[in-house]
């Protein structure tokens, strides 16, 4: 139940900075489309609005609804999106030799981008490999956060918001590639 998942511990609610970031990715394993990593900053003022919009894991929502929710999330929240197209993915893979390292790099970039816009002390991310990977990819600002990696991070409202933003960006990019190719790519 997302409405219960987003609630922070009481001591954090009363703290000066009551916001947190969720991160997620879309397009992992797709041949034509990009790998998209998104991060969304939420606080206790915005969270009820997103709950009212029924924000939840993008895998449980139709593509049409995702695009509408994406607009609402981007209008209300601080967010960051990192898009890694096939050419860039192949370049990064030739250097890193590991998908989890590329994912960690993408998650770290969106976290750092958000931290440049808004101070935050807590980030919730999907656990997709060794927990040290994202932490090692973070730069100076990111090293100061509490990073929580867990299976199904999209059960958290910020993680669900990030999953929607990442999926919507993936869908938009796939539509552009389909138009460029002249065929609808699945």
């Amino acid at each position: 139940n997302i409405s219960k998942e987003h609630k922070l511990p009481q001591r954090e609610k009363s703290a000066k900075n009551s916001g947190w970031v969720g991160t997620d990715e879309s397009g992992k394993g797709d041949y034509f489309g990009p790998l998209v990593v998104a991060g969304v900053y939420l606080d206790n003022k915005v969270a009820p609005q997103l709950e009212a919009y029924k924000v939840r894991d993008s895998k449980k929502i139709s593509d049409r609804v995702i695009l509408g929710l994406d607009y609402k999330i981007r209008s209300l929240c601080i967010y960051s999106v990192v898009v890694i197209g096939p050419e860039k993915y192949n370049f990064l893979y030739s250097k890193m030799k590991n998908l989890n390292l590329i994912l960690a790099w993408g998650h770290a970039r969106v976290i750092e981008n958000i931290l440049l816009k808004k101070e935050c002390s807590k980030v919730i991310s999907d656990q997709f490999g060794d927990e040290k990977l994202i932490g090692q990819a973070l730069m100076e600002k990111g090293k100061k956060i509490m990073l929580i990696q867990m299976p199904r991070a999209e059960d958290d409202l910020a993680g669900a918001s990030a999953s929607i933003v990442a999926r919507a960006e993936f869908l938009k990019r796939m539509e552009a590639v389909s138009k460029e190719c002249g065929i609808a790519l699945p």
Side-chain angles (χ1 to χ4, degrees), residues 39-58:
V40 176
Y41 171 85
L42 290 187
D43 60 28
N44 291 318
K45 293 177 187 172
V46 174
Q49 292 173 288
L50 295 182
E51 286 177 331
Y53 293 140
K54 296 185 173 32
V55 167
R56 59 204 178 278
D57 180 359
S58 67

Side-chain angles (χ1 to χ4, degrees), residues 105-183:
W105 176 84
H107 281 260
R109 292 301 67 78
V110 299
I111 292 166
E112 293 287 345
N113 292 343
I114 292 171
L115 292 176
L116 289 173
K117 299 173 191 174
K118 184 72 176 172
E119 192 174 310
C120 174
S121 61
K122 180 178 175 182
V123 175
I124 298 174
S125 174
D126 236 2
Q127 186 174 348
F128 52 79
D130 187 328
E131 289 185 27
K132 296 175 189 169
L133 294 178
I134 295 177
Q136 290 170 344
L138 287 166
M139 296 182 290
E140 183 181 340
K141 283 185 176 280
K143 299 254 186 231
K144 298 174 185 171
I145 61 164
M146 175 176 42
L147 177 61
I148 300 167
Q149 297 178 64
M150 59 188 210
R152 305 229 11 97
E154 58 276 353
D155 287 344
D156 174 80
L157 189 57
S161 299
S163 107
I164 289 168
V165 171
R167 177 71 180 162
E169 188 67 30
F170 175 80
L171 292 171
K172 292 174 200 173
R173 300 288 178 124
M174 283 299 290
E175 183 179 340
V177 170
S178 291
K179 285 181 181 175
E180 187 179 314
C181 294
I183 58 170

Side-chain angles (χ1 to χ4, degrees), residues 20 24-25 28 32 34 45 55 63 72-73 79 85 90-91 98 103-104 112 115 132 136 149 153 160 169 175-176:
W20 73 105
D24 201 16
E25 73 279 334
K28 185 170 53 177
F32 294 107
K45 293 177 187 172
V55 167
D63 290 347
K72 291 173 181 176
I73 293 166
Y79 65 92
N90 289 338
F91 171 78
N98 185 302
L103 288 171
E112 293 287 345
L115 292 176
K132 296 175 189 169
Q136 290 170 344
Q149 297 178 64
E169 188 67 30
E175 183 179 340

Side-chain angles (χ1 to χ4, degrees), residues 39-105:
V40 176
Y41 171 85
L42 290 187
D43 60 28
N44 291 318
K45 293 177 187 172
V46 174
Q49 292 173 288
L50 295 182
E51 286 177 331
Y53 293 140
K54 296 185 173 32
V55 167
R56 59 204 178 278
D57 180 359
S58 67
K59 291 185 258 345
K60 298 176 181 177
I61 309 171
S62 72
D63 290 347
R64 183 185 57 76
V65 173
I66 284 171
L67 294 170
L69 287 173
D70 173 59
Y71 176 80
K72 291 173 181 176
I73 293 166
R74 290 184 193 227
S75 297
L76 287 170
C77 302
I78 294 170
Y79 65 92
S80 176
V81 178
V82 169
V83 178
I84 305 168
E87 189 175 342
K88 180 72 170 184
Y89 177 90
N90 289 338
F91 171 78
L92 290 171
Y93 196 85
S94 74
K95 298 284 183 202
M96 298 181 186
K97 306 281 190 224
N98 185 302
L99 172 60
N100 286 342
L101 290 175
I102 296 169
L103 288 171
W105 176 84

